[in-house]
């Protein structure tokens, strides 16, 4: 059985830090285990590569006869319908992490290819990052640090755009595992209000635990928030959700944090809103294309006071703690698959019967 894993290169860091499991070098810690299973499953082969683009890439070469493909959202191998049609043996795609939008799920349904992810594996990691991003923006941290590195010291230049989180209205688009945990972590900050926008209302006791109020209309929701955090998946209903029109409904000078998926926000509309000051800050770790091109506007965009940019590479959900969890979860999904056992229902994105 051929198992193909598309991971990112860790180079020297991965050699020195074996807990960097999500790398080509450390192979999710499952290569030896897979090889040992090879005695039972004749022909098991594990190809691991970060060479994922184009027809001559390892990804496309090995995909042709792979039965299992493992990908991560951090260095996504984009599994398009066209590629799935070439992958005649493909039975199961495993996302080592959370978020399988790099896989054409409708094509997976049509081809009866299972899609699984390690649900919950990095939700705390991301929620902590969101809280950090909110504080980084609201307190104007990045320009303050850059000033120190430059050797300057002009407190007023920083303080004129620095605020307390206390007394602000914070809202999450999506109150699932991550969105809920973000608001839960913000309770001690004494914000003025916690809001959420989601399809379903939370049970009253869960709402009360995070002091949250649901707003059913998205324009009304954003118009009330000082801080908006995006914690919904990328799908047909969220792609480009935060566009020029919706940004114009935000409170002037609001902060926006997106660690969900880059394509939920319109790239140019966000850059324009930050440049004009309609947004005071934008932070997150997800991009519409990954790795982001060197000239991506989100790398360098700034608010009118020269700050407000908290962008990083996609790493919030791949802390060493998270890597241990999603590597273990990937192994467990593979074990279930090899043994013909039912998968954990929460991990199933497309089931073996082609159901979503
Ligand atoms: P989750 O538990 O499934 O929560 C997502 C919530 O968003 C669900 O309540 C969902 O409702 C809701 N939702 C879906 N579409 C919506 C819409 N159009 N408007 C408002 N709410 C909507 O997922 P999670 O574990 O919190 O993860 C959320 C997303 O974070 C993932 O899909 C992934 O893209 C991203 N993520 C990023 C990283 C990172 O490293 N940056 C790591 C992990 C996850 P339903 O359940 O009713 O659909």
């Amino acid at each position: 059985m051929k198992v193909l894993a598309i991971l990112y290169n860790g180079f020297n860091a991965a050699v020195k830090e074996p807990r960097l499991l999500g790398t080509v070098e450390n192979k999710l810690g499952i290569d030896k285990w897979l090889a040992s299973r090879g005695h039972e499953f004749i022909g098991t082969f594990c190809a691991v590569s970060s060479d994922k683009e184009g027809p001559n890439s390892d990804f496309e070469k090995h995909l042709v006869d792979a039965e299992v493909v493992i990908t991560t959202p951090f260095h996504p191998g984009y599994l398009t319908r066209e590629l799935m049609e070439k992958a005649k043996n493909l039975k199961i795609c495993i996302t080592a992490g959370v978020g399988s939008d790099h896989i054409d799920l409708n094509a997976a349904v049509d081809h009866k290819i299972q899609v699984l992810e390690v649900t919950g594996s990095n939700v705390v990691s991301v929620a902590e990052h969101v809280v950090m991003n909110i504080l980084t923006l609201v307190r104007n941290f990045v320009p303050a640090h850059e000033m120190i590195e430059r050797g300057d010291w002009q407190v007023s230049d920083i303080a004129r755009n620095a605020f307390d989180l206390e007394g602000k209205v914070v809202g999450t688009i999506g109150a699932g595992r991550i969105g809920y945990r973000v608001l839960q972590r913000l309770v001690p900050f004494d914000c003025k209000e916690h809001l959420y926008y989601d399809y379903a209302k939370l049970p009253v006791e869960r709402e009360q635990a995070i002091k949250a109020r649901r707003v059913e209309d998205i324009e009304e929701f954003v118009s009330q928030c000082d801080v908006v955090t995006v914690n919904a998946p990328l799908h047909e209903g969220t792609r480009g959700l935060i566009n020029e029109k919706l940004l114009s409904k935000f409170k002037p000078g609001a902060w926006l944090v997106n660690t969900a998926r880059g394509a939920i926000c319109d790239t140019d509309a966000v850059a324009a809103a930050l440049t004009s000051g309609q947004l005071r800050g934008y932070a997150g770790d997800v991009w519409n294309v990954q790795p982001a091109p060197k000239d991506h506007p989100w790398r360098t965009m700034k608010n009118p006071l020269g700050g407000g940019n908290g962008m990083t590479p996609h790493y919030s959900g791949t802390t060493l703690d998270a890597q241990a969890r999603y590597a273990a979860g990937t192994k467990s999904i593979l074990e279930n698959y090899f043994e013909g056992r039912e998968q954990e229902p929460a991990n199933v994105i497309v089931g073996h019967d082609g159901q979503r």
Side-chain angles (χ1 to χ4, degrees):
M1 188 182 306
K2 186 162 176 175
V3 177
L4 174 65
I6 309 300
L7 304 167
Y8 55 89
N9 279 313
F11 300 113
N12 200 28
V15 174
K16 292 207 158 127
E17 179 47 85
R19 290 174 297 174
L20 273 170
L21 288 169
T23 56
V24 172
E25 292 77 2
N26 296 328
K27 304 175 180 64
L28 291 162
I30 56 173
D31 53 325
K32 291 193 181 69
W33 171 73
L34 276 175
S36 74
R37 302 289 300 215
H39 296 295
E40 293 169 54
F41 295 91
I42 295 161
T44 296
F45 173 73
C46 182
V48 179
S49 175
S50 69
D51 173 18
K52 67 184 177 72
E53 309 291 347
N56 295 321
S57 65
D58 279 355
F59 178 30
E60 295 198 21
K61 270 189 284 182
H62 289 295
L63 190 63
V64 174
D65 56 350
E67 178 165 336
V68 180
V69 172
I70 303 171
T71 53
T72 76
F74 311 103
H75 186 76
Y78 293 100
L79 275 169
T80 59
R81 180 178 286 276
E82 192 193 354
L83 283 180
M84 278 186 207
E85 273 156 16
K86 290 186 194 159
K88 300 289 182 212
N89 288 348
L90 186 58
K91 302 265 184 338
I92 177 167
C93 298
I94 304 173
T95 301
V98 175
S100 299
D101 48 274
H102 55 286
I103 299 170
D104 185 329
L105 297 176
N106 293 327
V109 168
D110 293 346
H111 289 86
K112 295 216 168 15
I113 296 168
Q114 296 182 61
V115 179
L116 287 116
E117 58 187 46
V118 190
T119 299
S121 56
N122 51 16
V123 294
V124 166
S125 322
V126 180
E128 288 186 3
H129 196 96
V130 172
V131 172
M132 175 184 78
N133 275 169
I134 292 173
L135 288 168
T136 300
L137 292 182
V138 171
R139 306 200 60 90
N140 207 20
F141 175 82
V142 174
H145 179 71
E146 287 168 348
M147 174 183 281
I148 286 302
E149 281 204 349
R150 281 197 311 273
D152 293 342
W153 187 289
Q154 189 55 51
V155 173
S156 55
D157 279 356
I158 302 302
R160 69 177 169 173
N161 211 16
F163 299 82
D164 295 340
L165 186 55
E166 183 181 75
K168 304 296 183 292
V169 178
V170 181
T172 175
I173 297 179
R177 293 173 182 83
I178 297 173
Y180 190 89
R181 282 168 175 77
V182 169
L183 296 186
Q184 194 177 39
R185 279 154 180 74
L186 290 181
V187 169
F189 283 88
D190 292 329
C191 296
K192 185 173 177 191
E193 245 198 320
H194 291 174
L195 305 180
Y196 70 98
Y197 170 80
D198 202 318
Y199 295 138
K201 187 171 157 52
L202 291 166
V204 174
E205 64 281 8
R206 297 220 349 123
E207 272 187 348
Q208 283 171 350
I210 57 168
K211 301 189 170 168
R213 174 170 67 85
R214 179 168 178 237
V215 181
E216 286 185 52
D217 178 84
I218 188 132
E219 292 190 359
E220 252 179 58
F221 166 83
V222 297
S223 72
Q224 295 176 46
C225 293
D226 297 297
V227 180
V228 174
T229 154
V230 188
N231 300 293
L234 174 63
H235 53 66
E236 292 86 345
T238 54
R239 186 176 295 277
L241 175 71
I242 301 188
N243 53 22
E244 191 183 348
K245 179 167 179 272
L246 190 62
L247 284 163
S248 73
K249 310 290 178 191
F250 275 54
K251 264 193 192 178
W255 296 275
L256 176 57
V257 171
N258 175 16
T259 55
R261 285 294 179 261
I264 295 175
C265 294
D266 180 296
T267 302
D268 294 335
V270 162
L274 188 65
T275 307
S276 73
Q278 170 64 5
L279 285 180
R280 196 182 297 273
Y282 183 89
D285 66 331
V286 287
W287 305 71
N288 57 339
V289 181
Q290 292 188 185
K294 281 202 174 3
D295 61 351
H296 196 291
W298 288 4
R299 286 183 183 265
T300 51
M301 62 186 180
K302 297 272 195 291
N303 65 24
L305 295 176
N309 185 329
M311 290 306 294
T312 64
H314 191 167
Y315 83 104
S316 69
T318 188
T319 57
L320 295 182
D321 300 297
Q323 294 193 39
R325 290 190 294 264
Y326 68 65
T330 300
K331 188 175 175 195
S332 157
I333 290 169
L334 281 169
E335 272 170 336
N336 290 340
Y337 179 69
F338 291 154
E339 304 296 339
R341 288 194 298 255
E342 283 299 311
Q343 299 286 353
E344 289 287 327
N347 289 344
V348 179
I349 306 302
V350 177
H352 52 72
D353 49 0
Q355 291 298 306
R356 276 178 83 173

